[in-house]
Amino acid sequence: ALRGRGLDVHLFQRSGHVLQPFGEAVADRVEPELTAQGVTVHTATPVEALCGDDRIEAISYDGGRQPVDLAVVGVGITPNTGVVADTDIELGAGGAIATDKFGQTSRPDVYAAGDCATAHHTVTGEDTWMPLGLTANRGGRAIGSTVAGNPEPVGDIAGTAVVKAFDLECGRVGLIDDEAAREAGFEPVRKTITAESRSGYYPGGAETDVTLVADRETGRLLGGAIVGADRAAVRINTLATALNEEMGVAEVERLDLAYAPPFSPVWDPILVAAKVLRGSIQ
Amino acid sequence: ALRGRGLDVHLFQRSGHVLQPFGEAVADRVEPELTAQGVTVHTATPVEALCGDDRIEAISYDGGRQPVDLAVVGVGITPNTGVVADTDIELGAGGAIATDKFGQTSRPDVYAAGDCATAHHTVTGEDTWMPLGLTANRGGRAIGSTVAGNPEPVGDIAGTAVVKAFDLECGRVGLIDDEAAREAGFEPVRKTITAESRSGYYPGGAETDVTLVADRETGRLLGGAIVGADRAAVRINTLATALNEEMGVAEVERLDLAYAPPFSPVWDPILVAAKVLRGSIQ
């Protein structure tokens, strides 16, 4: 949006690549796209200070100083648990209010949902803290039903997220970080493939990269990421559904996914990724 | 494509609405779109004859005659089983060559795949004949693996299909026909909802209609259809995955599907449909 208004945009990123939660394969597509669209990307470059007297005039970082008119700061969030600070209600993952599968806190008559509360992770089975919009919405509705006498679980969270970077659509779901997968007791194996989004002869297709991560021992799908310019992001919902059902990579490979030249090649990019990953596990 | 070249296009359809396998809710969106794009749609109008001497000059139908320069005829297909006509190899659903889950025919050393062979239906569990491109591809690969000593099931078929009608994208999967659902032993309940494809404030969204069909007694999802102008078709893969896993509508409603304003409202249209259908079952 800022580039669209003709501004000179610099992106400073502390980590080694952009879009950290989406994994390296997505970042490897997004960074050149940002550059091509005129954004100057500074990875592995923490901002040290916002400089200026009355207003921000520059930011400083290791080895440099960048004059700016405007700074958009994204430094993460923490759960706002002030509302229970003076109570004995227990906190859990990420310092959020610990809840069970009905959103109930450690006190039977108190429920919590949304960005302040923990949730149950689809893949690890552990409590986690992932503040996302749908999770908050679902939790609110389910708890409303539960306290009105009709118990309704708030639902697990797979960490499904999608984002747009100019024309690139990015999606991620589940455990795609090797370290997180190992901590959860899995031995992650990963493959990234590039496939066309449409039949080769049909105009308008775009290269779509799919990364899948599975557990070597069981073949269970652990997570995935997708990036591409042609309807890539919503394809992540197929993987979110597969994770919810604890599907193995071999089962994903046999899914009857849609084929028609304007929308997909005979083998959907997800099926290609499952086939390649399965080949490397067996 | 014919309209794109400026031709006067008439569509004659024997059934009461177009795109019969996609159900009425999709047809109710597609027919006005076809009309708006200049196609004259004649539903419930079987063509009686192609007329002409040296070449086709007109088609005749009950109560009329339409001069034409060109006729594109779609009257369905039948499985080509000539290759086994002089053998004792058994035929099955739709007159196709009967196969088991490895593609094996009634003769142990003979396998069949593709448009001539039966397949195992994801929802009904019965043999069926649904000639679709991915099914043929999967079957060929799996049988190749099996006969090479590495048994590999050919995979079930959910009847996932997508099609483009000008700017409208249509998808269908599973059992969406009431009669077929009853024959398979289910009591179908159906809901169609209309939801925006993006957050209301984000430009480029389009009304997306989702039809879901479930079994009243068990709540199991039986099938679904989707139509809309903004990334509607590939969303059908979420339902194909849910059918493969025999998910219930309540489970579908709790899926952690992707939300970001350019791609989806907080509640994906599929989640809205699951919520509404579940409400009508309970």
Side-chain angles (χ1 to χ4, degrees):
Chain A
L2 297 174
R3 279 299 298 154
R5 290 173 182 274
L7 301 188
D8 180 22
V9 178
H10 287 253
L11 177 64
F12 289 86
Q13 178 87 32
R14 187 163 63 176
S15 56
H17 58 81
V18 300
L19 289 179
Q20 187 73 16
F22 288 72
E24 280 192 39
V26 172
D28 286 347
R29 286 284 299 275
V30 170
E31 285 178 23
E33 172 73 7
L34 294 176
T35 302
Q37 298 283 353
V39 175
T40 307
V41 180
H42 308 257
T43 50
T45 310
V47 168
E48 285 170 353
L50 306 176
C51 315
D53 292 330
D54 287 346
R55 57 188 302 283
I56 293 171
E57 288 163 3
I59 61 114
S60 70
Y61 57 97
D62 184 25
R65 179 183 158 92
Q66 175 67 43
V68 298
D69 296 313
L70 172 73
V72 179
V73 180
V75 291
I77 63 172
T78 55
N80 182 351
T81 57
V83 69
V84 300
D86 296 329
T87 74
D88 58 358
I89 288 176
E90 290 170 14
L91 302 183
I97 300 171
T99 57
D100 71 5
K101 73 173 184 169
F102 291 97
Q104 187 178 285
T105 68
S106 57
R107 199 181 280 187
D109 51 353
V110 178
Y111 292 76
D115 296 356
C116 69
T118 66
H120 187 258
H121 195 286
T122 305
V123 182
T124 68
E126 302 290 326
D127 265 4
T128 186
W129 180 63
M130 276 193 202
L132 289 168
L134 175 61
T135 314
N137 262 264
R138 288 192 312 188
R141 277 187 64 101
I143 290 171
S145 177
T146 297
V147 300
N150 187 17
E152 169 90 9
V154 296
D156 294 351
I157 180 164
T160 318
V162 287
V163 69
K164 191 166 174 288
F166 293 95
D167 288 336
L168 281 182
E169 305 185 357
C170 315
R172 61 91 60 217
V173 67
L175 288 183
I176 58 176
D177 179 74
D178 283 352
E179 197 178 329
R182 287 199 194 94
E183 275 174 20
F186 300 109
E187 187 189 347
V189 186
R190 146 195 333 270
K191 283 287 172 186
T192 298
I193 62 93
T194 301
E196 279 296 316
S197 63
R198 309 184 182 190
S199 294
Y201 56 83
Y202 198 95
E207 285 190 347
T208 303
D209 294 354
V210 179
T211 300
L212 292 183
V213 182
D215 179 43
R216 184 180 296 280
E217 193 184 351
T218 61
R220 180 178 164 190
L221 184 70
L222 302 178
I226 298 182
V227 58
D230 178 35
R231 300 181 178 84
V234 293
R235 292 186 193 266
I236 203 72
N237 287 343
T238 302
L239 297 179
T241 308
L243 289 179
N244 193 77
E245 299 303 297
E246 303 189 8
M247 289 178 74
V249 175
E251 296 168 278
V252 172
E253 185 187 334
R254 282 194 289 272
L255 281 173
D256 184 16
L257 301 187
Y259 156 53
F263 305 120
S264 173
V266 176
W267 296 90
D268 188 275
I270 286 175
L271 300 179
V272 175
K275 187 183 307 298
V276 171
L277 177 55
R278 186 176 163 217
S280 79
I281 290 178
Q282 285 177 328
Chain B
L2 297 174
R3 279 297 299 152
R5 291 174 182 275
L7 301 187
D8 180 23
V9 178
H10 288 252
L11 176 65
F12 290 86
Q13 178 88 31
R14 188 162 62 177
S15 55
H17 56 81
V18 300
L19 289 179
Q20 187 73 16
F22 288 72
E24 281 191 39
V26 171
D28 287 346
R29 287 283 298 276
V30 169
E31 285 177 22
E33 172 74 6
L34 294 176
T35 302
Q37 299 282 352
V39 174
T40 307
V41 179
H42 309 257
T43 50
T45 310
V47 169
E48 286 169 352
L50 306 176
C51 314
D53 292 328
D54 288 345
R55 57 188 300 285
I56 293 172
E57 289 163 3
I59 62 115
S60 70
Y61 57 96
D62 184 24
R65 180 183 157 93
Q66 174 68 42
V68 299
D69 297 313
L70 172 75
V72 179
V73 180
V75 291
I77 62 173
T78 55
N80 182 351
T81 56
V83 69
V84 298
D86 296 331
T87 74
D88 58 356
I89 287 175
E90 290 170 14
L91 302 183
I97 300 171
T99 57
D100 71 4
K101 71 173 185 168
F102 291 98
Q104 189 178 284
T105 68
S106 58
R107 199 180 282 185
D109 51 352
V110 178
Y111 292 76
D115 295 357
C116 68
T118 66
H120 188 257
H121 195 285
T122 305
V123 181
T124 67
E126 301 290 327
D127 266 3
T128 185
W129 180 62
M130 276 193 202
L132 288 168
L134 175 61
T135 314
N137 262 265
R138 289 192 312 189
R141 277 187 65 100
I143 290 171
S145 177
T146 298
V147 299
N150 187 18
E152 169 89 9
V154 297
D156 294 350
I157 180 163
T160 318
V162 287
V163 69
K164 190 164 175 288
F166 294 95
D167 288 336
L168 280 182
E169 305 185 357
C170 315
R172 61 92 60 219
V173 67
L175 288 183
I176 58 177
D177 179 73
D178 282 354
E179 197 178 329
R182 289 199 193 93
E183 274 174 21
F186 300 110
E187 188 189 346
V189 186
R190 142 195 337 267
K191 283 287 172 187
T192 297
I193 61 93
T194 301
E196 280 294 318
S197 63
R198 308 184 183 190
S199 294
Y201 55 83
Y202 198 96
E207 284 190 348
T208 302
D209 294 353
V210 178
T211 299
L212 291 183
V213 182
D215 178 44
R216 182 180 297 280
E217 193 185 347
T218 61
R220 179 178 164 190
L221 184 70
L222 301 178
I226 299 182
V227 58
D230 178 35
R231 301 182 178 81
V234 292
R235 292 185 193 268
I236 203 71
N237 287 342
T238 302
L239 297 179
T241 309
L243 289 179
N244 194 77
E245 299 303 297
E246 301 188 10
M247 289 178 74
V249 175
E251 296 168 277
V252 172
E253 184 187 334
R254 281 194 289 272
L255 280 174
D256 183 16
L257 300 187
Y259 157 53
F263 306 118
S264 173
V266 177
W267 296 90
D268 188 276
I270 286 176
L271 300 179
V272 175
K275 187 183 309 298
V276 171
L277 178 54
R278 187 176 163 216
S280 80
I281 290 178
Q282 286 177 327

